[in-house]
Amino acid sequence: MKRSEIQRTIRWAKEFLAQHHFYLPEFADWTVREWKKRESHISVILKTMRGWDITDYGMGNFREIGSVLFTIRNGCVGDPALGTPYAEKVIPIYEGQRLPMHYHENKTEDIINRGGGMMFMKLYNALENGKPDVESNVIVYMDGIERCVKPGEEFLVGAGSSVSLTPRMYHIFGAKEGYGDLIVGEVSSVNDDNTDNFYYEQVSRFAEVEEDEEMIYPLCNEYNKIFKKKDHD
């Protein structure tokens, strides 16, 4: 992805969220200069990879398969004392856009329609070999209510409703065409995007960035570029 597209997308996301009265913490607006000024006070943010995460998953078609995520809160799998014992993200999604099909080995998460458009979702159980089970139904809870869905069956999740996803449950979700842009919330156990994403489609978790303009807003996987080191103690 081009840096200009990433930064244009961040501006869109902030405006879209504000229109729906969803406000982000102050570090969502920090420029590179402001990140550097605060380096000695933000080790928790850096170590838990909070902040902007814009990715086309290496697919090269961001508006169809991609995501805008902002991690508001998170902890560390290897250090329970660091950060929070849970994670929270907000995911603004363009109409017609979706995330790629994936599951988590460890994370349990609630995926929530926070408003705007209509969320669609498809689910599969993961087989022992990591492939999706295309025969067995999926038992899932929506706001604590048990539901049985066929593998790959599309179902809709309206504003205020949520789906609880357990480990090894393949999922695809996005903003249903015809309903507008969507705000998705994610509340989960501690999130580790470096080790706990397993994709069925051939993707890469983080975007490869083409630097066609100066970086203004760093992504959560780019903090080392700013501080030129790996240890943020």
Side-chain angles (χ1 to χ4, degrees):
M1 295 183 68
K2 292 184 177 181
R3 179 69 64 183
S4 57
E5 181 182 12
I6 290 170
Q7 298 186 151
R8 183 170 62 250
T9 300
I10 289 173
R11 290 190 289 270
W12 164 79
K14 291 195 294 184
E15 292 172 3
F16 177 50
L17 291 171
Q19 288 170 7
H20 288 267
H21 306 288
F22 193 112
Y23 301 103
L24 298 172
E26 63 176 287
F27 63 91
D29 295 318
W30 289 354
T31 63
V32 170
R33 181 179 179 181
E34 289 169 314
W35 281 94
K36 289 181 177 179
K37 283 172 58 178
R38 294 169 169 83
E39 181 180 4
S40 61
H41 303 288
I42 58 174
S43 62
V44 170
I45 294 176
L46 302 177
K47 289 181 177 179
T48 59
M49 294 183 68
R50 305 183 194 190
W52 290 108
D53 179 3
I54 317 297
T55 180
D56 64 355
Y57 297 95
M59 304 284 279
N61 189 8
F62 173 71
R63 289 295 292 265
E64 180 178 338
I65 302 177
S67 59
V68 180
L69 309 101
F70 187 90
T71 300
I72 303 169
R73 281 166 271 275
N74 198 16
C76 179
V77 173
D79 185 357
L82 183 68
T84 57
Y86 59 90
E88 180 184 1
K89 297 183 182 184
V90 62
I91 310 170
I93 304 180
Y94 288 109
E95 180 179 357
Q97 188 181 47
R98 70 170 176 90
L99 280 69
M101 182 173 168
H102 65 289
Y103 71 86
H104 310 288
E105 281 282 359
N106 300 302
K107 185 169 71 169
T108 297
E109 56 187 340
D110 276 4
I111 304 298
I112 310 155
N113 183 334
R114 292 292 194 192
M118 178 70 72
M119 180 166 67
F120 76 86
M121 185 172 285
K122 300 178 183 181
L123 302 175
Y124 301 83
N125 296 309
L127 296 169
E128 288 297 321
N129 62 9
K131 293 183 179 180
D133 184 343
V134 297
E135 297 181 356
S136 299
N137 290 340
V138 181
I139 303 299
V140 66
Y141 286 86
M142 298 180 62
D143 300 305
I145 302 169
E146 182 180 307
R147 178 170 177 175
C148 178
V149 296
K150 296 178 181 178
E153 172 189 2
E154 180 178 291
F155 60 95
L156 301 181
V157 183
S161 295
S162 66
V163 182
S164 296
L165 303 176
T166 52
R168 299 188 62 79
M169 183 182 288
Y170 268 115
H171 47 283
I172 300 171
F173 64 87
K176 183 72 174 177
E177 288 274 10
Y179 292 87
D181 300 334
L182 171 69
I183 300 173
V184 170
E186 178 185 317
V187 178
S188 73
S189 51
V190 170
N191 177 80
D192 185 347
D193 279 320
N194 290 303
T195 64
D196 196 27
N197 293 293
F198 298 85
Y199 295 96
Y200 182 64
E201 298 168 271
Q202 295 298 309
V203 305
S204 57
R205 174 60 184 82
F206 298 107
E208 183 176 339
V209 181
E210 178 185 338
E211 303 291 356
D212 66 327
E213 68 178 33
E214 185 178 357
M215 179 195 293
I216 300 172
Y217 306 109
L219 302 180
C220 66
N221 62 310
E222 296 183 314
Y223 296 145
N224 291 337
K225 291 183 180 180
I226 300 174
F227 300 111
K228 305 297 184 183
K229 61 181 182 179
K230 296 184 178 180
D231 186 356
H232 300 294
D233 288 333

